[in-house]
Amino acid sequence: MYFGWKPFNKNSIISLKKIHIHIMDGYDIPKVDLIGKTDSYVRIKLNDREFHEKTKVVDNSLNPVWNETIILYSLCQKPYIQIELKGKSTIKDQLIGTANIELDDITSTKSKEITENLIPAKGMKKGGKIHLYIQIN
């Protein structure tokens, strides 16, 4: 007898992934402020979505320490994150560097510590480096 639904296939289930991104610190951040050093923060987007999370701004540092955890949720089987390092400004925040990190090699039994060299934004000579710890449950 057939009731209009297919038999249950456990391989077709998409599970919700909880992604912990611990943004530890940055270094080799270029100076973008006219006076002082850079007032920087990190913005994280998941799978190219408009929604994003960001860290607090660390004022006047070329080696900022954020020590913050951002938690994101994804139904995507091969999630990735977009990282943007930005300099805070009173007029308009300035993009310093970017990176995309694919998360498909990180499983619930494995976490990953990453130091990512950021691609410099247009007009920047260097993008800086970000130190992250990522875990997926």
Side-chain angles (χ1 to χ4, degrees):
M1 190 178 288
Y2 179 69
F3 294 102
W5 52 273
K6 293 182 180 180
F8 178 73
N9 179 351
K10 68 179 182 179
N11 294 328
S12 66
I13 294 178
I14 299 174
S15 62
L16 181 66
K17 292 176 173 67
K18 184 177 183 182
I19 305 166
H20 299 258
I21 306 163
H22 186 78
I23 302 140
M24 293 183 263
D25 52 17
Y27 55 98
D28 204 20
I29 307 297
K31 182 181 179 311
V32 295
D33 289 351
L34 293 174
I35 300 172
K37 298 175 184 168
T38 303
D39 303 333
S40 58
Y41 66 94
V42 176
R43 191 169 95 156
I44 305 250
K45 294 194 313 187
L46 179 65
N47 301 329
D48 205 23
R49 303 276 181 190
E50 285 301 314
F51 176 77
H52 64 270
E53 292 283 341
K54 62 183 180 179
T55 65
K56 66 182 183 259
V57 175
V58 175
D59 294 326
N60 203 30
S61 178
L62 299 180
N63 298 299
V65 176
W66 292 284
N67 200 26
E68 290 186 45
T69 299
I70 291 174
I71 298 175
L72 301 171
Y73 296 89
S74 177
L75 288 171
C76 184
Q77 292 209 343
K78 294 187 177 188
Y80 68 93
I81 57 172
Q82 292 177 302
I83 299 171
E84 294 180 341
L85 175 64
K86 292 192 154 197
K88 185 75 176 160
S89 174
T90 53
I91 299 169
K92 184 179 178 185
D93 295 355
Q94 182 174 2
L95 182 62
I96 298 170
T98 62
N100 288 339
I101 299 175
E102 294 193 17
L103 304 176
D104 54 346
D105 64 333
I106 304 172
T107 64
S108 60
T109 58
K110 187 169 85 172
S111 54
K112 190 172 188 177
E113 189 169 342
I114 300 169
T115 299
E116 189 70 24
N117 292 312
L118 301 176
I119 299 166
K122 187 175 181 178
M124 301 298 296
K125 292 182 180 176
K126 62 181 179 178
K129 297 178 183 175
I130 300 290
H131 188 202
L132 309 164
Y133 181 80
I134 301 172
Q135 181 178 10
I136 298 178
N137 299 18

